[in-house]
Amino acid sequence: MTDVFTLPDVGEGLTEAEIVSWKVQTGDTVTVNQVLVEIETAKSLVELPSPQAGTIGALLVQEGQTVEVGTPIVRFGGTGGADDAPAAASGAGGQAGADAAAPAGGTAEEPDDAGGATLVGYGDRGGSGSRRRARRAPAAGSSAPAGQTTGVPADTTTATPAATSGAAPASAPPATPAGSPAAESGPVLASPGRPLAKPPVRKLAKDHGVDLARVPATGSRGEVTREDLLAYLDGAGGGGQAGAVAGSGPVAASSATAGTGQPERREERVPVKGVRKATAQAMVTSAFTAPHVTEFLEVDVTGTMDLVRHLKATGLLGEDVRVSPLLIAARAVCWAVRRNPMINATYADDAITIKHYVNLGIAAATPRGLLVPNIKDADRLDLAGLARELGQLIGQAREGKTPPSAQQGGTITITNVGVFGVDSGTPILNPGEAAILAFGQIRKKPWVVDDQIVPREVCQLAVSADHRVVDGETISKFLADVGAAMENPAVML
Amino acid sequence: MASPTHVGGGVNVDDLPHVDQPMIQMLTPEGKRVPGGEYERFAEDLDDEMLRLMYRDMTLSRRVDAEGTALQRQGQLGLWVPLLGQEAAQIGLGRATRPQDFIFPSYREHGLALTRGVPPETLLGIFRGVSHSGWDPQAHNLHPYAIVIGAQTLHAVGYAMGVQLDGDIATGDQDRDTATIACFGDGATSQGEVSEALTFAGTYNAPVLFFLQNNQWAISEPTTVQTKAPLHTRGVGFGVPGVRVDGNDVIATYAVARAGLDSIRAGNGPLLLEAYTYRMGAHTTADDPTKYRSDAETENWRAKDPIRRLRRYLLESEMADQEFFDGVDAEADELAAGLRKACVEMPDPDPQEMFSHVYSHEHALVSEESAWHAQYEASFAEAEAR
């Protein structure tokens, strides 16, 4: 059995995954099927069980890194021996030299079609590639037919050995089979006809407004690879940050860019993916389907703060329970929802569905980005229960371990912008919900009480709501109720 | 309802006890045995030994299934289709069949396959991509897994019509009369093939059992968007009466399947048996069910777990003790370890094999392609030699 565990394709045709968190450490003894690591694919969070019993020799990929299927991620056996490490970083293999030296079967050796596309049914490219390769001549290295079901018979007859070597060092300019439009030159700058590239690469180029004919092609048939395009984009975007994108490390490209004398890091291009992408889509959906209206209210929350201080001092809710103003706000929202049920609803399919339960979402800035996990049936919990759930939710979010199930089925949301030291905002609704409360910072301000100006603890509340579902009256009543409860939590009793 | 007028005689659905009855249950989620009415006598065979056997079957199925999922996560399988939660439906049916019966599975029937004597490692071949089937269908009277949704229902009805032409029904010979079983799911009921199969089964009075495992989810589509009428009534308009059984109750599933199969072998025509169950896991390892269904729903079904309820019943009625359960668990672990070893060591097939089962006889074009491919493969060996 192999001593290296390579990243498997856990879906059908997934090409890459992010290492979210390691569940073991170097030196740990593990059993068969013990969970080693949690990864995030384009489809889901997945735990990978150990394929063998033994000792963890080394974790070859860091948390947060996105690597391709087939990349070694764990080495079993004794510690030491760092030779596996480079393979993890090189990923796509834009720099062919390093890849050619990568040990152990299973690394994806084709440089051309990696990354991005998630095509159901395309199968485990890395796995099948390695098995097939054993029978193939490494010297001939005609890698294309090995991995491709579409392998055209003509490949073997026209391509001379070494000509199309996917694993060949970069020193050999990628030649192309005779008869191909790009056959004459080595690194093709512009093919006579339409530049060659696979559809996902074309799409990416189109998305970035790049004319593929301008991108230096290094593919085995003279085609522009994803890495070529990313390297080109890096260059166009100001160089310097090569390697930040998809771990492709196009060193040559960035140094070439440096030669053009462009100032460094004037702009930075960050690929939109994962949680950022999901957030972007959700916000666009929400902003352009639900007409938002936002109302504001400034509230004296000294009563809330007194309660928080009292609960903290007495430990009434339990020793290990964290008490915060957010807890009282959460409670206040549940209470106000009960008095204004329409605020806790969904507009869809020409009907308004009123939820007689509160799955209370808390917008959380996590290491993975903005997530909105929710507390199920928050309205049925007592204060201690709510505090516990809130603590767990925040803890999970902070550790980046929020499960997908916690992010579904929310009915109303609180965004605690106050923790960032601001007063208020006009939040965008979590899609499918009718209201979101922005909870501003709490600070002492002069406040009029019984015609006297006294220092009180004050904060701003804002509610954005879906005007298709509720009108000003309901929104105002809801906001006023939340405010009243924050001002005097006793009203909730 | 009119009885169908057609070849092979008909069956008046009004005469059958099955239509529009509530779900048959004989073992409650709490492990309490309740009377099964007209089906009670079909459970008479289920003595202590048989019930222990079915417990073992279900536990081994679950363990094989868990190992399949793990092997996929480790890159040893391209895909795995979990059966978690559907053990009782499959074991209940499987143990109610007779050796001569022929089963046309979909692709989740791992438990059923075990009852037909298919070695579990053979199930992995198709998911590892080294085989198109893995077992000899004739040796186990179990057709290869059908990946195309619902297609196997037509194959099954065709086979049943063949059985009918061979005269292998209603002879009274227990070892000769043959039932055919078409396995499919709630999602497949939306496929045209299933309606076509029901049409032919009804009009020809084919000796076929439509075994519908309603696991509530067609990947991410709930049954509520697949059908307005309960699925066990789906066949009625085709002249195929239906009955619904608690598919997480192995005793009821066995008894109702037994009754249905006996009736079919006796020449009374087709039946539809809806086993009402739940897919506890993902549709396949490429699916993430948390994206479309709630934890509350899954938890609700977890309380109806098929294995746990039988375990309770066996314990409380003193038909089995802890020693027995421990023994089954140990056997399951051993089976899983063997399965893992067999999977990892599974040889790649000779590429020529892919040409060998296209036609039963020599075929000019296939031979030509086979020869070309052999030459193509050989060219790599030559390159290696250089």
Side-chain angles (χ1 to χ4, degrees), chain B residues 32-56:
Chain B
K32 189 165 172 288
R33 182 75 162 79
V34 291
E38 64 195 308
Y39 294 103
E40 191 58 49
R41 66 191 172 94
F42 293 99
E44 278 168 9
D45 293 352
L46 299 182
D47 56 14
D48 298 13
E49 196 183 338
M50 189 69 183
L51 287 172
R52 282 197 297 267
L53 174 70
M54 295 208 295
Y55 176 86
R56 174 179 166 273

PDB file of all heavy atoms in Angstrom, chain B residues 32-56:
ATOM      1  N   LYS B  32     -41.800  -2.870  19.088  1.00  0.00           N
ATOM      2  CA  LYS B  32     -42.941  -3.623  19.601  1.00  0.00           C
ATOM      3  C   LYS B  32     -43.617  -4.342  18.429  1.00  0.00           C
ATOM      4  O   LYS B  32     -43.889  -3.750  17.395  1.00  0.00           O
ATOM      5  CB  LYS B  32     -43.919  -2.641  20.258  1.00  0.00           C
ATOM      6  CG  LYS B  32     -45.043  -3.286  21.011  1.00  0.00           C
ATOM      7  CD  LYS B  32     -45.707  -2.231  21.927  1.00  0.00           C
ATOM      8  CE  LYS B  32     -46.961  -2.766  22.560  1.00  0.00           C
ATOM      9  NZ  LYS B  32     -48.092  -2.925  21.633  1.00  0.00           N
ATOM     10  N   ARG B  33     -43.881  -5.629  18.616  1.00  0.00           N
ATOM     11  CA  ARG B  33     -44.506  -6.425  17.554  1.00  0.00           C
ATOM     12  C   ARG B  33     -46.013  -6.203  17.591  1.00  0.00           C
ATOM     13  O   ARG B  33     -46.654  -6.348  18.642  1.00  0.00           O
ATOM     14  CB  ARG B  33     -44.177  -7.898  17.822  1.00  0.00           C
ATOM     15  CG  ARG B  33     -44.693  -8.861  16.792  1.00  0.00           C
ATOM     16  CD  ARG B  33     -43.889  -8.829  15.495  1.00  0.00           C
ATOM     17  NE  ARG B  33     -44.151 -10.052  14.725  1.00  0.00           N
ATOM     18  CZ  ARG B  33     -45.237 -10.259  13.991  1.00  0.00           C
ATOM     19  NH1 ARG B  33     -46.152  -9.304  13.899  1.00  0.00           N
ATOM     20  NH2 ARG B  33     -45.416 -11.386  13.349  1.00  0.00           N
ATOM     21  N   VAL B  34     -46.573  -5.823  16.443  1.00  0.00           N
ATOM     22  CA  VAL B  34     -48.021  -5.609  16.368  1.00  0.00           C
ATOM     23  C   VAL B  34     -48.590  -6.499  15.271  1.00  0.00           C
ATOM     24  O   VAL B  34     -47.882  -6.846  14.319  1.00  0.00           O
ATOM     25  CB  VAL B  34     -48.369  -4.127  16.087  1.00  0.00           C
ATOM     26  CG1 VAL B  34     -48.037  -3.255  17.282  1.00  0.00           C
ATOM     27  CG2 VAL B  34     -47.634  -3.604  14.854  1.00  0.00           C
ATOM     28  N   PRO B  35     -49.863  -6.910  15.398  1.00  0.00           N
ATOM     29  CA  PRO B  35     -50.429  -7.859  14.432  1.00  0.00           C
ATOM     30  C   PRO B  35     -50.503  -7.262  13.035  1.00  0.00           C
ATOM     31  O   PRO B  35     -50.786  -6.075  12.864  1.00  0.00           O
ATOM     32  CB  PRO B  35     -51.846  -8.121  14.970  1.00  0.00           C
ATOM     33  CG  PRO B  35     -51.888  -7.572  16.341  1.00  0.00           C
ATOM     34  CD  PRO B  35     -50.823  -6.540  16.456  1.00  0.00           C
ATOM     35  N   GLY B  36     -50.258  -8.084  12.040  1.00  0.00           N
ATOM     36  CA  GLY B  36     -50.235  -7.621  10.655  1.00  0.00           C
ATOM     37  C   GLY B  36     -51.474  -7.989   9.868  1.00  0.00           C
ATOM     38  O   GLY B  36     -51.447  -7.987   8.643  1.00  0.00           O
ATOM     39  N   GLY B  37     -52.558  -8.317  10.587  1.00  0.00           N
ATOM     40  CA  GLY B  37     -53.825  -8.591   9.909  1.00  0.00           C
ATOM     41  C   GLY B  37     -53.695  -9.734   8.919  1.00  0.00           C
ATOM     42  O   GLY B  37     -53.140 -10.793   9.224  1.00  0.00           O
ATOM     43  N   GLU B  38     -54.162  -9.489   7.713  1.00  0.00           N
ATOM     44  CA  GLU B  38     -54.164 -10.539   6.699  1.00  0.00           C
ATOM     45  C   GLU B  38     -52.752 -10.997   6.335  1.00  0.00           C
ATOM     46  O   GLU B  38     -52.577 -12.059   5.725  1.00  0.00           O
ATOM     47  CB  GLU B  38     -54.881 -10.035   5.448  1.00  0.00           C
ATOM     48  CG  GLU B  38     -54.134  -8.862   4.817  1.00  0.00           C
ATOM     49  CD  GLU B  38     -54.960  -8.082   3.795  1.00  0.00           C
ATOM     50  OE1 GLU B  38     -55.503  -8.731   2.898  1.00  0.00           O
ATOM     51  OE2 GLU B  38     -55.044  -6.853   3.921  1.00  0.00           O
ATOM     52  N   TYR B  39     -51.755 -10.181   6.669  1.00  0.00           N
ATOM     53  CA  TYR B  39     -50.383 -10.553   6.327  1.00  0.00           C
ATOM     54  C   TYR B  39     -49.688 -11.349   7.439  1.00  0.00           C
ATOM     55  O   TYR B  39     -48.582 -11.822   7.258  1.00  0.00           O
ATOM     56  CB  TYR B  39     -49.558  -9.300   6.002  1.00  0.00           C
ATOM     57  CG  TYR B  39     -50.048  -8.605   4.755  1.00  0.00           C
ATOM     58  CD1 TYR B  39     -50.818  -7.444   4.844  1.00  0.00           C
ATOM     59  CD2 TYR B  39     -49.775  -9.133   3.499  1.00  0.00           C
ATOM     60  CE1 TYR B  39     -51.302  -6.828   3.701  1.00  0.00           C
ATOM     61  CE2 TYR B  39     -50.247  -8.524   2.347  1.00  0.00           C
ATOM     62  CZ  TYR B  39     -51.012  -7.371   2.459  1.00  0.00           C
ATOM     63  OH  TYR B  39     -51.478  -6.772   1.319  1.00  0.00           O
ATOM     64  N   GLU B  40     -50.360 -11.446   8.568  1.00  0.00           N
ATOM     65  CA  GLU B  40     -49.733 -12.090   9.720  1.00  0.00           C
ATOM     66  C   GLU B  40     -49.249 -13.504   9.377  1.00  0.00           C
ATOM     67  O   GLU B  40     -48.150 -13.904   9.742  1.00  0.00           O
ATOM     68  CB  GLU B  40     -50.732 -12.131  10.893  1.00  0.00           C
ATOM     69  CG  GLU B  40     -50.131 -12.537  12.223  1.00  0.00           C
ATOM     70  CD  GLU B  40     -48.986 -11.650  12.695  1.00  0.00           C
ATOM     71  OE1 GLU B  40     -49.150 -10.419  12.680  1.00  0.00           O
ATOM     72  OE2 GLU B  40     -47.927 -12.186  13.061  1.00  0.00           O
ATOM     73  N   ARG B  41     -50.073 -14.239   8.625  1.00  0.00           N
ATOM     74  CA  ARG B  41     -49.693 -15.632   8.345  1.00  0.00           C
ATOM     75  C   ARG B  41     -48.450 -15.736   7.472  1.00  0.00           C
ATOM     76  O   ARG B  41     -47.775 -16.749   7.459  1.00  0.00           O
ATOM     77  CB  ARG B  41     -50.870 -16.405   7.740  1.00  0.00           C
ATOM     78  CG  ARG B  41     -51.305 -15.942   6.370  1.00  0.00           C
ATOM     79  CD  ARG B  41     -52.622 -16.587   5.971  1.00  0.00           C
ATOM     80  NE  ARG B  41     -53.140 -16.022   4.741  1.00  0.00           N
ATOM     81  CZ  ARG B  41     -52.910 -16.546   3.538  1.00  0.00           C
ATOM     82  NH1 ARG B  41     -52.178 -17.629   3.405  1.00  0.00           N
ATOM     83  NH2 ARG B  41     -53.427 -15.972   2.458  1.00  0.00           N
ATOM     84  N   PHE B  42     -48.165 -14.669   6.727  1.00  0.00           N
ATOM     85  CA  PHE B  42     -46.970 -14.710   5.885  1.00  0.00           C
ATOM     86  C   PHE B  42     -45.695 -14.464   6.691  1.00  0.00           C
ATOM     87  O   PHE B  42     -44.597 -14.574   6.170  1.00  0.00           O
ATOM     88  CB  PHE B  42     -47.090 -13.698   4.741  1.00  0.00           C
ATOM     89  CG  PHE B  42     -48.174 -14.056   3.767  1.00  0.00           C
ATOM     90  CD1 PHE B  42     -49.422 -13.456   3.840  1.00  0.00           C
ATOM     91  CD2 PHE B  42     -47.946 -15.037   2.797  1.00  0.00           C
ATOM     92  CE1 PHE B  42     -50.422 -13.800   2.946  1.00  0.00           C
ATOM     93  CE2 PHE B  42     -48.942 -15.387   1.907  1.00  0.00           C
ATOM     94  CZ  PHE B  42     -50.193 -14.766   1.980  1.00  0.00           C
ATOM     95  N   ALA B  43     -45.875 -14.069   7.944  1.00  0.00           N
ATOM     96  CA  ALA B  43     -44.709 -13.861   8.809  1.00  0.00           C
ATOM     97  C   ALA B  43     -44.450 -15.082   9.682  1.00  0.00           C
ATOM     98  O   ALA B  43     -43.549 -15.081  10.519  1.00  0.00           O
ATOM     99  CB  ALA B  43     -44.929 -12.623   9.678  1.00  0.00           C
ATOM    100  N   GLU B  44     -45.263 -16.144   9.468  1.00  0.00           N
ATOM    101  CA  GLU B  44     -45.127 -17.327  10.327  1.00  0.00           C
ATOM    102  C   GLU B  44     -43.753 -17.976  10.228  1.00  0.00           C
ATOM    103  O   GLU B  44     -43.261 -18.558  11.186  1.00  0.00           O
ATOM    104  CB  GLU B  44     -46.210 -18.356   9.967  1.00  0.00           C
ATOM    105  CG  GLU B  44     -47.543 -18.041  10.620  1.00  0.00           C
ATOM    106  CD  GLU B  44     -48.672 -18.890  10.035  1.00  0.00           C
ATOM    107  OE1 GLU B  44     -48.375 -19.823   9.252  1.00  0.00           O
ATOM    108  OE2 GLU B  44     -49.833 -18.608  10.373  1.00  0.00           O
ATOM    109  N   ASP B  45     -43.139 -17.857   9.034  1.00  0.00           N
ATOM    110  CA  ASP B  45     -41.806 -18.460   8.851  1.00  0.00           C
ATOM    111  C   ASP B  45     -40.739 -17.809   9.700  1.00  0.00           C
ATOM    112  O   ASP B  45     -39.642 -18.339   9.835  1.00  0.00           O
ATOM    113  CB  ASP B  45     -41.350 -18.292   7.392  1.00  0.00           C
ATOM    114  CG  ASP B  45     -42.214 -19.098   6.453  1.00  0.00           C
ATOM    115  OD1 ASP B  45     -43.027 -19.880   6.955  1.00  0.00           O
ATOM    116  OD2 ASP B  45     -42.060 -18.922   5.228  1.00  0.00           O
ATOM    117  N   LEU B  46     -41.037 -16.623  10.170  1.00  0.00           N
ATOM    118  CA  LEU B  46     -39.983 -15.849  10.829  1.00  0.00           C
ATOM    119  C   LEU B  46     -39.789 -16.311  12.266  1.00  0.00           C
ATOM    120  O   LEU B  46     -40.222 -15.662  13.207  1.00  0.00           O
ATOM    121  CB  LEU B  46     -40.313 -14.349  10.767  1.00  0.00           C
ATOM    122  CG  LEU B  46     -40.422 -13.769   9.346  1.00  0.00           C
ATOM    123  CD1 LEU B  46     -40.709 -12.279   9.398  1.00  0.00           C
ATOM    124  CD2 LEU B  46     -39.151 -14.022   8.552  1.00  0.00           C
ATOM    125  N   ASP B  47     -39.097 -17.428  12.420  1.00  0.00           N
ATOM    126  CA  ASP B  47     -38.767 -17.902  13.769  1.00  0.00           C
ATOM    127  C   ASP B  47     -37.541 -17.156  14.285  1.00  0.00           C
ATOM    128  O   ASP B  47     -36.990 -16.282  13.602  1.00  0.00           O
ATOM    129  CB  ASP B  47     -38.542 -19.412  13.753  1.00  0.00           C
ATOM    130  CG  ASP B  47     -37.463 -19.814  12.752  1.00  0.00           C
ATOM    131  OD1 ASP B  47     -36.720 -18.920  12.275  1.00  0.00           O
ATOM    132  OD2 ASP B  47     -37.365 -21.010  12.433  1.00  0.00           O
ATOM    133  N   ASP B  48     -37.103 -17.517  15.485  1.00  0.00           N
ATOM    134  CA  ASP B  48     -35.965 -16.830  16.100  1.00  0.00           C
ATOM    135  C   ASP B  48     -34.759 -16.796  15.166  1.00  0.00           C
ATOM    136  O   ASP B  48     -34.113 -15.773  14.979  1.00  0.00           O
ATOM    137  CB  ASP B  48     -35.539 -17.546  17.395  1.00  0.00           C
ATOM    138  CG  ASP B  48     -36.640 -17.552  18.423  1.00  0.00           C
ATOM    139  OD1 ASP B  48     -37.789 -17.234  18.052  1.00  0.00           O
ATOM    140  OD2 ASP B  48     -36.355 -17.876  19.587  1.00  0.00           O
ATOM    141  N   GLU B  49     -34.509 -17.946  14.584  1.00  0.00           N
ATOM    142  CA  GLU B  49     -33.304 -18.079  13.763  1.00  0.00           C
ATOM    143  C   GLU B  49     -33.367 -17.151  12.554  1.00  0.00           C
ATOM    144  O   GLU B  49     -32.413 -16.462  12.214  1.00  0.00           O
ATOM    145  CB  GLU B  49     -33.172 -19.532  13.321  1.00  0.00           C
ATOM    146  CG  GLU B  49     -31.798 -19.875  12.792  1.00  0.00           C
ATOM    147  CD  GLU B  49     -31.755 -21.315  12.289  1.00  0.00           C
ATOM    148  OE1 GLU B  49     -32.594 -22.130  12.720  1.00  0.00           O
ATOM    149  OE2 GLU B  49     -30.902 -21.594  11.449  1.00  0.00           O
ATOM    150  N   MET B  50     -34.547 -17.139  11.916  1.00  0.00           N
ATOM    151  CA  MET B  50     -34.726 -16.311  10.725  1.00  0.00           C
ATOM    152  C   MET B  50     -34.606 -14.819  11.081  1.00  0.00           C
ATOM    153  O   MET B  50     -34.016 -14.037  10.329  1.00  0.00           O
ATOM    154  CB  MET B  50     -36.109 -16.615  10.138  1.00  0.00           C
ATOM    155  CG  MET B  50     -36.337 -16.002   8.794  1.00  0.00           C
ATOM    156  SD  MET B  50     -35.336 -16.761   7.486  1.00  0.00           S
ATOM    157  CE  MET B  50     -35.821 -15.722   6.116  1.00  0.00           C
ATOM    158  N   LEU B  51     -35.157 -14.435  12.205  1.00  0.00           N
ATOM    159  CA  LEU B  51     -35.076 -13.024  12.606  1.00  0.00           C
ATOM    160  C   LEU B  51     -33.632 -12.637  12.918  1.00  0.00           C
ATOM    161  O   LEU B  51     -33.183 -11.537  12.582  1.00  0.00           O
ATOM    162  CB  LEU B  51     -35.973 -12.758  13.827  1.00  0.00           C
ATOM    163  CG  LEU B  51     -37.472 -12.756  13.521  1.00  0.00           C
ATOM    164  CD1 LEU B  51     -38.282 -12.671  14.808  1.00  0.00           C
ATOM    165  CD2 LEU B  51     -37.837 -11.597  12.596  1.00  0.00           C
ATOM    166  N   ARG B  52     -32.911 -13.558  13.569  1.00  0.00           N
ATOM    167  CA  ARG B  52     -31.492 -13.271  13.839  1.00  0.00           C
ATOM    168  C   ARG B  52     -30.731 -13.141  12.527  1.00  0.00           C
ATOM    169  O   ARG B  52     -29.867 -12.294  12.381  1.00  0.00           O
ATOM    170  CB  ARG B  52     -30.884 -14.372  14.712  1.00  0.00           C
ATOM    171  CG  ARG B  52     -31.264 -14.252  16.180  1.00  0.00           C
ATOM    172  CD  ARG B  52     -30.350 -15.084  17.058  1.00  0.00           C
ATOM    173  NE  ARG B  52     -30.444 -16.516  16.763  1.00  0.00           N
ATOM    174  CZ  ARG B  52     -31.256 -17.366  17.393  1.00  0.00           C
ATOM    175  NH1 ARG B  52     -32.019 -16.936  18.388  1.00  0.00           N
ATOM    176  NH2 ARG B  52     -31.283 -18.626  17.064  1.00  0.00           N
ATOM    177  N   LEU B  53     -31.085 -14.004  11.562  1.00  0.00           N
ATOM    178  CA  LEU B  53     -30.430 -13.943  10.255  1.00  0.00           C
ATOM    179  C   LEU B  53     -30.686 -12.586   9.592  1.00  0.00           C
ATOM    180  O   LEU B  53     -29.776 -11.960   9.040  1.00  0.00           O
ATOM    181  CB  LEU B  53     -30.954 -15.070   9.350  1.00  0.00           C
ATOM    182  CG  LEU B  53     -30.442 -15.029   7.905  1.00  0.00           C
ATOM    183  CD1 LEU B  53     -28.963 -15.373   7.852  1.00  0.00           C
ATOM    184  CD2 LEU B  53     -31.232 -15.977   7.006  1.00  0.00           C
ATOM    185  N   MET B  54     -31.921 -12.120   9.691  1.00  0.00           N
ATOM    186  CA  MET B  54     -32.239 -10.847   9.046  1.00  0.00           C
ATOM    187  C   MET B  54     -31.550  -9.683   9.769  1.00  0.00           C
ATOM    188  O   MET B  54     -31.139  -8.712   9.136  1.00  0.00           O
ATOM    189  CB  MET B  54     -33.757 -10.641   8.973  1.00  0.00           C
ATOM    190  CG  MET B  54     -34.407 -11.695   8.076  1.00  0.00           C
ATOM    191  SD  MET B  54     -35.930 -11.207   7.244  1.00  0.00           S
ATOM    192  CE  MET B  54     -37.000 -10.984   8.599  1.00  0.00           C
ATOM    193  N   TYR B  55     -31.394  -9.812  11.086  1.00  0.00           N
ATOM    194  CA  TYR B  55     -30.633  -8.790  11.816  1.00  0.00           C
ATOM    195  C   TYR B  55     -29.188  -8.769  11.308  1.00  0.00           C
ATOM    196  O   TYR B  55     -28.611  -7.711  11.053  1.00  0.00           O
ATOM    197  CB  TYR B  55     -30.657  -9.071  13.330  1.00  0.00           C
ATOM    198  CG  TYR B  55     -29.799  -8.091  14.104  1.00  0.00           C
ATOM    199  CD1 TYR B  55     -30.314  -6.867  14.511  1.00  0.00           C
ATOM    200  CD2 TYR B  55     -28.466  -8.375  14.381  1.00  0.00           C
ATOM    201  CE1 TYR B  55     -29.525  -5.947  15.175  1.00  0.00           C
ATOM    202  CE2 TYR B  55     -27.667  -7.465  15.041  1.00  0.00           C
ATOM    203  CZ  TYR B  55     -28.204  -6.251  15.450  1.00  0.00           C
ATOM    204  OH  TYR B  55     -27.416  -5.346  16.091  1.00  0.00           O
ATOM    205  N   ARG B  56     -28.651  -9.965  11.169  1.00  0.00           N
ATOM    206  CA  ARG B  56     -27.271 -10.073  10.688  1.00  0.00           C
ATOM    207  C   ARG B  56     -27.161  -9.481   9.272  1.00  0.00           C
ATOM    208  O   ARG B  56     -26.259  -8.695   8.976  1.00  0.00           O
ATOM    209  CB  ARG B  56     -26.871 -11.545  10.684  1.00  0.00           C
ATOM    210  CG  ARG B  56     -25.524 -11.828  10.068  1.00  0.00           C
ATOM    211  CD  ARG B  56     -25.211 -13.325  10.143  1.00  0.00           C
ATOM    212  NE  ARG B  56     -24.103 -13.684   9.289  1.00  0.00           N
ATOM    213  CZ  ARG B  56     -24.223 -14.007   7.992  1.00  0.00           C
ATOM    214  NH1 ARG B  56     -25.410 -14.000   7.411  1.00  0.00           N
ATOM    215  NH2 ARG B  56     -23.158 -14.324   7.283  1.00  0.00           N
TER     216      ARG B  56
END
